[in-house]
Amino acid sequence: MDYYKELLHGREPSVGNSLDYGDYAVWLDAQRNTAEYESHRNYWKQRIQSLQVPSLPAAWRASGGTEDASALQSMVLPRALTDSLLLIAQRYHATFFHTVLAAFGLLLRAHQSSAQIVVETPMSGRDQSELEGIVGAFVNTLPLSFPVDAQMRFHELLRAVRDRVTDSLEHAQFRQEDMLVDQESGSRDASIEQSPIPVTFICQQDFVRPITAGGVALTAIPSVSPGALRPLT
């Protein structure tokens, strides 16, 4: 919208950032040949090799075995509830994300036979300030797993989730699409093949707000789902 205002007044918009997505792609390709990137690869290889992905509860699967008729289900949580969740997070040195993921883990555990909770979560991938203003696909998907023991108290589960997420984020620079491909031969690594994770968990900030510039208003509209990438998100 700042670009639009400048053009509206006959001025050349200030680029502000000389980087583009091509620069990021070149940098990422160079990272793949570093020892640090290889250490991230080894971390995820060990994690994924031992990952047992539970099947989604039958009642939650799309009828007919297809996600073509998927839909969005919206619910506004009471402010008192979200305030309480924030207090719990602060008490145990966790974040809102950790807290609601732990609660979601409890929900999944009640509907599956396995005590192991496995979800995937997309990360923005913009972990450097220089990337904030660049248009492009930086999203990286991380698999997260943690056990839910019936004997656990919630604060114990929350700490376990917090520690697992923190550990995974330390290796979040690794691109998960590189996991199945051997960089030298270009072949798939059969030792780390896994079943697709059917559940995606996302906790994102509400950053879409009305913007007005030069008499033009930009507002959000309801999202319509054309289908689903995963059986449950």
Side-chain angles (χ1 to χ4, degrees):
M1 295 301 281
D2 289 337
Y3 282 15
Y4 176 79
K5 285 193 294 185
E6 294 297 310
L7 291 171
L8 189 66
H9 292 88
R11 296 189 290 265
E12 186 69 22
S14 174
V15 175
N17 193 335
S18 59
L19 295 176
D20 59 30
Y21 192 77
D23 298 313
Y24 168 76
V26 170
W27 172 84
L28 180 61
D29 192 54
Q31 293 301 302
R32 292 187 171 105
N33 298 316
T34 65
E36 180 182 11
Y37 199 78
E38 186 61 25
S39 70
H40 295 325
R41 178 185 176 88
N42 290 334
Y43 169 85
W44 286 112
K45 186 173 182 177
Q46 293 175 4
R47 286 285 310 281
I48 289 178
Q49 279 179 331
S50 61
L51 201 62
Q52 298 294 324
V53 181
S55 60
L56 196 67
W60 292 4
R61 298 174 195 157
S63 58
T66 168
E67 280 72 56
D68 292 342
S70 60
L72 302 175
Q73 181 70 38
S74 298
M75 177 186 298
V76 178
L77 300 178
R79 180 60 182 266
L81 173 60
T82 54
D83 285 347
S84 297
L85 290 171
L86 285 169
L87 287 175
I88 293 173
Q90 293 168 2
R91 183 182 306 163
Y92 295 105
H93 307 287
T95 66
F96 187 79
F97 177 87
H98 299 145
T99 309
V100 292
L101 176 56
F104 185 60
L106 284 174
L107 175 64
L108 286 177
R109 181 65 184 92
H111 292 273
Q112 67 180 40
S113 58
S114 173
Q116 191 73 10
I117 303 302
V118 181
V119 301
E120 62 179 14
T121 187
M123 308 302 298
S124 71
R126 298 176 187 267
D127 54 354
Q128 301 180 45
S129 60
E130 294 86 353
L131 302 179
E132 289 295 332
I134 300 178
V135 176
F138 296 91
V139 175
N140 191 22
T141 302
L142 302 184
L144 299 173
S145 63
F146 52 91
V148 176
D149 191 318
Q151 306 304 317
M152 273 183 168
R153 303 190 66 177
F154 184 75
H155 70 270
E156 295 173 327
L157 173 61
L158 177 55
R159 288 195 179 104
V161 170
R162 179 198 63 189
D163 293 345
R164 176 50 57 87
V165 171
T166 300
D167 191 36
S168 297
L169 287 177
E170 290 180 357
H171 301 276
Q173 290 184 0
F174 183 83
R175 304 294 300 186
Q176 293 297 320
E177 59 265 28
D178 290 343
M179 179 56 64
L180 296 178
V181 179
D182 183 286
Q183 293 301 308
E184 294 183 0
S185 66
S187 61
R188 295 176 71 84
D189 187 343
S191 68
I192 51 177
E193 292 281 4
Q194 67 169 99
S195 302
I197 298 175
V199 180
T200 297
F201 180 83
I202 308 172
C203 182
Q204 61 189 19
Q205 182 180 3
D206 176 20
F207 57 88
V208 180
R209 306 205 181 267
I211 302 174
T212 302
V216 175
L218 180 66
T219 58
I221 62 175
S223 176
V224 178
S225 176
L229 295 177
R230 293 292 182 267
L232 178 64
T233 298

